[in-house]
């Protein structure tokens, strides 16, 4: 697993034992697909794939709740705070193919705010795991709720899934949108305000 320093900045260090085990498995997979693992272009592919997979799933080594708690501030602000167009890259747990898109996150403070950079960080921490989009949406919302205890949280994710574009039904332009709301955002007026603020990015 990729090691993380306490400031949550990723560093390019990989566990040697994990890399070796994964590389051997990738080598077997490539061979069983009918390829020659010894030809020039594939000789280092198992190791590269092993490191890539560790990076794509490095969210397992992060604690999203602690990331948020590391930058909480007392502030008497009662209006909606929105962070939109957060890039999302994740791995579908059903076919181990990527899905990617944008997340839009909002909360209404109740005496505490969080450093704005921490919201994209927790989105990434949850996304860099084996996921389904529905659970990812809920996990982001629940983490913000647990850390800040705000008046409400709203999360919308829109993403394209390679398991739909590259295989199966093969619909290249399909976009999946998921949402999760609680507290004040369960009221239609508040929810509409949030949607209007990000509507230029939502279909």
């Amino acid at each position: 697993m990729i090691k993380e320093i306490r400031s949550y900045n990723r560093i390019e260090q990989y566990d040697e034992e994990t890399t070796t085990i994964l590389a051997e498995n990738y080598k077997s997979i490539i061979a069983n697909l009918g390829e020659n693992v010894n030809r020039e272009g594939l000789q280092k592919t198992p190791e590269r794939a092993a490191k890539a997979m560790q990076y794509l799933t490095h969210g397992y080594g992060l604690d999203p709740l602690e990331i948020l708690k590391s930058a909480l501030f007392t502030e008497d602000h009662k209006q909606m705070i929105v962070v939109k167009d957060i890039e999302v890259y994740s791995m579908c747990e059903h076919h181990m193919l990527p899905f990617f898109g944008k997340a839009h996150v909002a909360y209404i403070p109740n005496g505490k705010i969080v450093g704005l950079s921490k919201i994209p960080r927790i989105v990434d921490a949850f996304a860099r795991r084996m996921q389904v989009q529905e659970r990812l949406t809920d996990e982001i919302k629940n983490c913000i709720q647990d850390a800040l205890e705000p008046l409400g949280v709203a999360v919308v994710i829109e993403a394209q899934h390679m398991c739909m574009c590259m295989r199966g039904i093969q619909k290249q332009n399909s976009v999946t949108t998921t949402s999760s709301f609680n507290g004040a955002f369960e009221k239609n007026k508040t929810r509409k305000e949030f949607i209007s603020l990000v509507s230029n990015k939502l279909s």
Side-chain angles (χ1 to χ4, degrees):
M1 187 63 64
I2 294 177
K3 297 178 181 178
E4 301 285 335
I5 61 177
R6 292 186 63 84
S7 64
Y8 304 107
N9 293 322
R10 181 183 58 79
I11 54 177
E12 291 284 355
Q13 292 183 0
Y14 299 89
D15 181 81
E16 290 185 10
E17 182 180 359
T18 301
T19 300
T20 299
I21 293 171
L22 289 174
E24 285 300 316
N25 284 315
Y26 276 115
K27 187 175 181 179
S28 177
I29 290 170
I30 292 168
N32 280 301
L33 290 173
E35 263 287 3
N36 176 11
V37 294
N38 295 314
R39 70 176 175 86
E40 183 181 11
L42 291 176
Q43 286 179 1
K44 294 185 178 181
T45 295
E47 181 181 350
R48 286 192 293 258
K51 290 179 177 180
M53 186 56 68
Q54 288 178 80
Y55 175 68
L56 293 174
T57 59
H58 75 263
Y60 290 118
L62 297 173
D63 186 337
L65 188 59
E66 288 303 314
I67 291 174
L68 286 183
K69 287 183 175 180
S70 70
L72 293 181
F73 306 97
T74 301
E75 192 67 43
D76 189 28
H77 181 80
K78 297 291 186 182
Q79 302 303 312
M80 190 184 305
I81 297 171
V82 181
V83 182
K84 65 179 184 177
D85 296 337
I86 302 168
E87 293 183 359
V88 173
Y89 298 96
S90 193
M91 188 74 69
C92 169
E93 67 182 36
H94 296 148
H95 298 98
M96 292 185 66
L97 288 172
F99 67 90
F100 57 91
K102 301 285 187 180
H104 313 287
V105 179
Y107 71 96
I108 300 175
N110 188 24
K112 290 184 290 186
I113 62 172
V114 67
L116 292 177
S117 69
K118 302 305 179 185
I119 292 178
R121 284 184 182 273
I122 68 156
V123 170
D124 200 50
F126 283 119
R128 297 298 188 171
R129 306 176 182 191
M130 306 296 285
Q131 277 287 8
V132 295
Q133 185 175 330
E134 296 87 345
R135 183 171 68 241
L136 174 60
T137 309
D138 286 333
E139 285 178 337
I140 296 167
K141 179 200 70 178
N142 292 339
C143 185
I144 295 172
Q145 182 63 44
D146 291 344
L148 277 75
E149 298 180 344
L151 299 177
V153 183
V155 180
V156 170
I157 297 177
E158 46 186 349
Q160 287 186 284
H161 292 247
M162 291 299 98
C163 58
M164 290 180 64
C165 297
M166 296 176 67
R167 58 162 299 283
I169 197 166
Q170 297 185 53
K171 298 301 182 184
Q172 284 77 18
N173 296 315
S174 62
V175 176
T176 299
T177 302
T178 51
S179 63
S180 192
F181 305 100
N182 71 7
F185 288 96
E186 293 178 333
K187 298 178 180 178
N188 192 46
K189 181 180 178 180
T190 308
R191 188 163 59 249
K192 282 185 174 180
E193 180 184 351
F194 166 68
I195 295 298
S196 71
L197 290 172
V198 298
S199 61
N200 61 318
K201 297 297 182 182
L202 294 175
S203 54

